[in-house]
Amino acid sequence: MTLLADTLARITSPDPAIARETQALLDGKTKPRGSLGRLEELACRIAAARGVPVPELPVKAVVVMAGDHGVAAEGVSAFPQEVTWQMVANFVRGGAGINVLARHAGAEVIVADMGVKQAVDLPGVRQVRVGAGTGNIAREAAMTRDQAAAALEAGIAIAQELAQRGVTLVATGEMGIANTTPAAVLAAHFTGASPEEITGRGTGVDDAGLARKVDAVRRALALHSRAAADPLDALARMGGFEIAGLAGLVLGAAACRVPVLVDGFISGAAALAAVRLAPAARGYLVAAHRSVEPGHRRVLAALDARPLLELELRLGEGTGAALAMHLVDAAVRILREMATFADAGVSDSGR
Amino acid sequence: MTLLADTLARITSPDPAIARETQALLDGKTKPRGSLGRLEELACRIAAARGVPVPELPVKAVVVMAGDHGVAAEGVSAFPQEVTWQMVANFVRGGAGINVLARHAGAEVIVADMGVKQAVDLPGVRQVRVGAGTGNIAREAAMTRDQAAAALEAGIAIAQELAQRGVTLVATGEMGIANTTPAAVLAAHFTGASPEEITGRGTGVDDAGLARKVDAVRRALALHSRAAADPLDALARMGGFEIAGLAGLVLGAAACRVPVLVDGFISGAAALAAVRLAPAARGYLVAAHRSVEPGHRRVLAALDARPLLELELRLGEGTGAALAMHLVDAAVRILREMATFADAGVSDSGR
């Protein structure tokens, strides 16, 4: 059995009885029932994912996967393609937004070259390259089915390694010039959204760039969407190396009962692909934030997920997911550290 | 000149030129312009409040003020009045929600008895009592004008002391059974909202309790709103000791150029009173979250403030403000720690 098939077979939904047990514990804390709102919901979700009513404080990692995209040739990004390589170098030097926010969250950062056009051969970059950039999805498949499986398995392997090292909360991050285009195509394929509603300005294309991007999304959808035989085929035809890698990370984490904070639009498209491959993976996902990218709404709706934060972010890299880590810590600490009505001698209203 | 008059005279608006300087620095960081959205806006606001383009990482305190309310006799709360005393004891033992979230934020907690019915004579509680609970605002004034001034000055003194000790970010918190009722009355007075739209369930009253509460708000408004000569008189007639104390805290912080994270509905009503006393204080306020309490929308609109978080909280104590402290830290760290395009050798799109 392959690592992918084995992982898909191992994923089972979190036990809702554990979430109920966690909620009962929260109801005994010195506060009106439910008054910590979505923080309580989050504590219950983390508990159920971990399989224990009172989970440990999370040990955290952000996995930033990078890849290049043939569709950049269609003029769909405001930045030149070499920026993917340059930003990966920035990640391993610790100067990027995700480095700052991961330090702030107390999370380690794992940087993986899943398929940057020119290999990023720098200390601290994991070389799990599947190819030197994908094919131009407006004209051809992004990758072969075997490449998609290899990228998924690279993500699964990283999740397994992190879980074995004791990591209990993973955030998804990505870097890849033009990668909002394959994300839009995949999101449209999985949700049925139109090219116009799913496509946004990414890092900031102008009106002409947006028109080119919508056109590229339309052509890619026409070429691949009906032809895609299954979710793996969809990832291969319309995805990207880092997108498939993140889908694998989600699957591997779910199989290890490690909850995943899903960052923005691109991570969301990857998570949606993962859930189409293994629906039970959904129970391990927490949507970190709603990005400015308009298609993100459709992705979140398809995941049936309400994001924790809405801060008008559109940077990617996992920055929104890293910001949400503090809320997960806060939720778990409430559960672990708050006094009960009985402990504190406080009168309970019973409501 | 009194401390109150002196403080009101010292408050001046933050300099917008500093916010522009901060934004220019953020625009040089390795990310598309503006792609960290509201985090960038927050960094600019903190910088302008502090009066320097690159502020230090904040030194943080949550000030939790407690008081009792005569209007509790109208049956407007789900909890008995002794819970105010019991929760103050819980605060100084470190077991309440605010203690957990302040520890998580790295903030100290200051607990002040502004006027609990029975004095909370426990180590760690600041005795700045103005009275033993307020009058029942549905039938009489909450306090005298002198008491309101004394409560404001107690808050100002705490803000000054914190600023002198090097605190550079303050959060507001409160505890007081029935205090959503005076907050609703004050909010209706200042915003023109009706009793029905401004009044919510607080800690969780049932339908009959909500009807009693709307009626108490209506009676208090009829008795005091037209009669209130100025914002100080409004606080005296319709407020509470902890509400006036928090308004003073806001004024004192603004006079010391210390930004204030404003918690939920009750803190919001206090902040609104402060802004009516000194409009320039507005520039030092950051709305931490939008609470479940329906009247909070009107308060936020009157403050012209967009909250950072929306997590369906309704606990008070400063819990939402403590949660938002991490976002302030993150915003300042982005400004201080991220590499620039030039440092990192990353190509800039110029947009």
Side-chain angles (χ1 to χ4, degrees):
Chain A
M1 206 172 184
T2 64
L3 177 59
L4 176 58
D6 178 56
T7 302
L8 293 175
R10 277 173 52 214
I11 298 170
T12 56
S13 287
D15 180 359
I18 292 187
R20 285 193 296 270
E21 208 174 326
T22 303
Q23 188 61 58
L25 292 171
L26 288 167
D27 287 347
K29 305 289 187 182
T30 48
K31 57 174 185 51
R33 304 270 195 284
S35 60
L36 283 172
R38 300 202 56 207
L39 224 49
E40 298 191 30
E41 199 181 293
L42 183 56
C44 293
R45 180 175 287 275
I46 298 297
R50 298 294 300 147
V52 288
V54 183
E56 299 292 316
L57 257 187
V59 176
K60 295 167 292 238
V62 183
V63 179
V64 189
M65 294 185 158
D68 270 319
H69 299 269
V71 75
E74 304 286 334
V76 294
S77 177
F79 284 84
Q81 195 168 42
E82 59 265 27
V83 169
T84 306
W85 193 101
Q86 293 166 347
M87 284 300 298
V88 173
N90 197 15
F91 296 149
V92 292
R93 276 195 307 260
I98 187 56
N99 301 105
V100 176
L101 296 180
R103 276 198 295 275
H104 180 50
E108 74 173 302
V109 177
I110 308 284
V111 181
D113 177 355
M114 293 295 308
V116 180
K117 197 162 182 186
Q118 188 192 330
V120 195
D121 188 14
L122 293 173
V125 179
R126 288 178 186 232
Q127 297 292 341
V128 280
R129 295 169 59 73
V130 180
T134 56
N136 178 350
I137 57 174
R139 299 168 183 273
E140 62 193 318
M143 62 189 103
T144 66
R145 198 174 164 97
D146 282 352
Q147 284 180 312
L152 282 161
E153 292 193 336
I156 292 170
I158 289 176
Q160 285 184 338
E161 178 210 311
L162 292 174
Q164 276 157 18
R165 282 210 275 114
V167 168
T168 56
L169 179 66
V170 166
T172 66
E174 43 56 51
M175 179 69 218
I177 293 303
N179 69 0
T180 52
T181 300
V185 176
L186 271 180
H189 170 74
F190 286 130
T191 67
S194 70
E196 289 74 14
E197 66 183 311
I198 209 74
T199 309
R201 290 180 190 271
T203 52
V205 287
D206 59 13
D207 289 349
L210 181 60
R212 285 193 299 274
K213 195 169 163 183
V214 170
D215 184 58
V217 169
R218 184 181 299 113
R219 285 151 59 208
L221 268 176
L223 190 58
H224 303 298
S225 188
R226 275 170 185 250
D230 57 23
L232 178 60
D233 204 32
L235 263 177
R237 287 170 171 274
M238 296 174 263
F241 295 133
E242 82 282 32
I243 294 173
L246 288 177
L249 184 79
V250 165
L251 295 171
C256 297
R257 310 191 70 83
V258 169
V260 180
L261 275 166
V262 181
D263 191 41
F265 180 56
I266 298 141
S267 286
L272 193 50
V275 168
R276 294 297 158 102
L277 285 161
R282 170 63 189 88
Y284 300 88
L285 303 182
V286 175
H289 77 115
R290 187 193 309 282
S291 100
V292 173
E293 196 65 16
H296 198 200
R297 284 186 184 270
R298 291 297 298 256
V299 170
L300 289 166
L303 288 169
D304 190 23
R306 290 168 68 200
L308 291 168
L309 297 168
E310 192 153 359
L311 295 169
E312 298 175 8
L313 308 178
R314 54 183 174 84
L315 176 54
E317 301 179 1
T319 47
L323 278 174
M325 283 179 156
H326 276 301
L327 296 178
V328 177
D329 284 347
V332 173
R333 291 186 73 162
I334 285 292
L335 181 60
R336 296 184 65 87
E337 299 177 23
M338 254 185 90
T340 62
F341 284 106
D343 294 341
V346 173
S347 310
D348 185 0
S349 78
R351 45 192 306 136
Chain B
M1 204 172 186
T2 64
L3 176 60
L4 176 58
D6 178 57
T7 302
L8 293 175
R10 278 172 55 215
I11 298 170
T12 57
S13 287
D15 180 358
I18 293 187
R20 286 192 296 271
E21 209 174 322
T22 302
Q23 187 62 57
L25 293 170
L26 288 168
D27 287 347
K29 305 290 187 181
T30 48
K31 57 173 185 53
R33 303 270 196 286
S35 60
L36 283 173
R38 300 201 56 205
L39 224 48
E40 298 191 31
E41 200 181 293
L42 182 56
C44 293
R45 179 174 288 273
I46 298 296
R50 298 294 301 147
V52 288
V54 183
E56 299 292 317
L57 257 186
V59 176
K60 296 169 293 247
V62 183
V63 180
V64 188
M65 293 184 160
D68 270 317
H69 298 271
V71 76
E74 303 287 333
V76 295
S77 177
F79 284 84
Q81 194 168 41
E82 60 263 28
V83 168
T84 306
W85 194 101
Q86 292 166 348
M87 285 302 297
V88 174
N90 197 15
F91 296 150
V92 291
R93 275 196 307 260
I98 188 55
N99 300 105
V100 176
L101 296 179
R103 277 197 297 274
H104 181 50
E108 74 173 302
V109 177
I110 309 285
V111 180
D113 177 354
M114 294 296 305
V116 180
K117 198 161 181 187
Q118 185 192 333
V120 194
D121 188 15
L122 292 173
V125 179
R126 289 180 185 229
Q127 296 292 342
V128 280
R129 296 169 59 75
V130 179
T134 57
N136 178 352
I137 57 175
R139 297 169 183 272
E140 63 194 317
M143 62 189 104
T144 66
R145 198 175 165 95
D146 282 352
Q147 284 180 312
L152 282 161
E153 293 193 336
I156 292 170
I158 289 176
Q160 285 184 339
E161 179 211 310
L162 292 174
Q164 276 157 19
R165 283 210 275 115
V167 168
T168 57
L169 180 65
V170 166
T172 65
E174 43 55 51
M175 179 68 218
I177 292 303
N179 69 2
T180 52
T181 299
V185 175
L186 271 180
H189 170 74
F190 286 130
T191 67
S194 71
E196 288 74 14
E197 65 183 312
I198 210 74
T199 308
R201 291 180 189 269
T203 51
V205 286
D206 58 15
D207 289 349
L210 181 60
R212 285 192 299 273
K213 196 169 164 183
V214 170
D215 183 59
V217 169
R218 183 181 300 113
R219 285 152 55 209
L221 269 175
L223 189 59
H224 304 298
S225 189
R226 275 168 185 253
D230 57 22
L232 178 60
D233 204 33
L235 263 177
R237 288 171 171 274
M238 297 172 261
F241 295 133
E242 82 283 34
I243 294 174
L246 288 176
L249 184 80
V250 165
L251 295 171
C256 297
R257 310 189 71 80
V258 169
V260 180
L261 275 166
V262 182
D263 191 41
F265 180 57
I266 298 142
S267 287
L272 192 50
V275 168
R276 295 298 158 101
L277 286 162
R282 170 63 189 87
Y284 299 88
L285 303 182
V286 175
H289 77 115
R290 186 192 310 281
S291 99
V292 173
E293 196 65 16
H296 198 199
R297 286 187 181 269
R298 290 297 297 259
V299 170
L300 290 165
L303 288 169
D304 191 23
R306 289 168 68 201
L308 291 168
L309 297 168
E310 192 154 359
L311 294 170
E312 299 175 5
L313 308 178
R314 53 183 174 84
L315 176 54
E317 302 179 2
T319 47
L323 277 173
M325 283 181 156
H326 276 302
L327 296 178
V328 177
D329 283 346
V332 173
R333 291 186 73 161
I334 285 291
L335 180 59
R336 297 184 64 87
E337 300 178 22
M338 254 185 91
T340 62
F341 285 106
D343 295 339
V346 174
S347 309
D348 185 1
S349 77
R351 46 189 305 135

